[in-house]
């Protein structure tokens, strides 16, 4: 896949700004950030550096926390996300409440 042109990058940034503004105006945005490409995996077998090379590998490139009444409504909000038009997909999950300790 070739690198994006400056014009394409500006258009993508503008689309993200519009999407985030729309969520914010409706009080549906609660947080989120892009993630850096490198990372680590910690398991019982030790710790490994796991550099991420491509979104096509199924990596998570960032996250948004949105407010929605249910998963279906969250999916409707996600349909407008610019990531989909950039050959991406979006995984939607509910944040589980922490049990009382």
């Amino acid at each position: 896949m070739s690198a994006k042109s400056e014009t394409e990058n500006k258009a993508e940034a503008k689309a993200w700004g519009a999407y985030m503004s729309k969520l914010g105006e409706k009080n549906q945005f609660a947080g989120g950030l892009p993630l850096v490409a490198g990372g680590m995996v910690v398991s019982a077998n030790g710790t490994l550096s796991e550099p991420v090379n491509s979104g096509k590998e199924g990596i998570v490139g960032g996250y948004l926390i949105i407010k929605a009444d249910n998963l279906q409504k969250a999916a409707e909000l996600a349909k407008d996300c610019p990531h989909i038009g950039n050959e991406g997909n979006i995984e939607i999950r509910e944040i589980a409440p922490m049990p009382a300790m």
Side-chain angles (χ1 to χ4, degrees):
M1 186 172 160
S2 64
K4 292 182 183 177
S5 70
E6 184 176 343
T7 301
E8 290 170 321
N9 284 331
K10 286 181 180 180
E12 185 175 346
K14 185 176 179 178
W16 271 101
Y19 179 67
M20 302 295 278
S21 291
K22 183 178 173 183
L23 291 173
E25 288 167 6
K26 295 181 179 181
N27 197 30
Q28 295 171 311
F29 178 71
L33 293 168
L35 300 172
V36 297
M40 299 189 84
V41 174
V42 178
S43 72
N45 296 325
T47 303
L48 302 171
S49 292
E50 293 290 328
V52 178
N53 298 316
S54 168
K56 295 192 183 276
E57 294 173 348
I59 57 97
V60 175
Y63 69 95
L64 293 180
I65 301 172
I66 61 170
K67 299 174 187 176
D69 293 334
N70 56 49
L71 287 177
Q72 187 59 41
K73 289 183 180 180
E76 289 299 318
L77 293 172
K79 287 179 181 178
D80 292 332
C81 182
H83 185 60
I84 292 174
N86 197 25
E87 299 182 22
N89 59 51
I90 297 172
E91 181 177 333
I92 299 170
R93 293 189 184 196
E94 184 176 350
I95 297 173
M98 289 295 292
M101 296 184 154

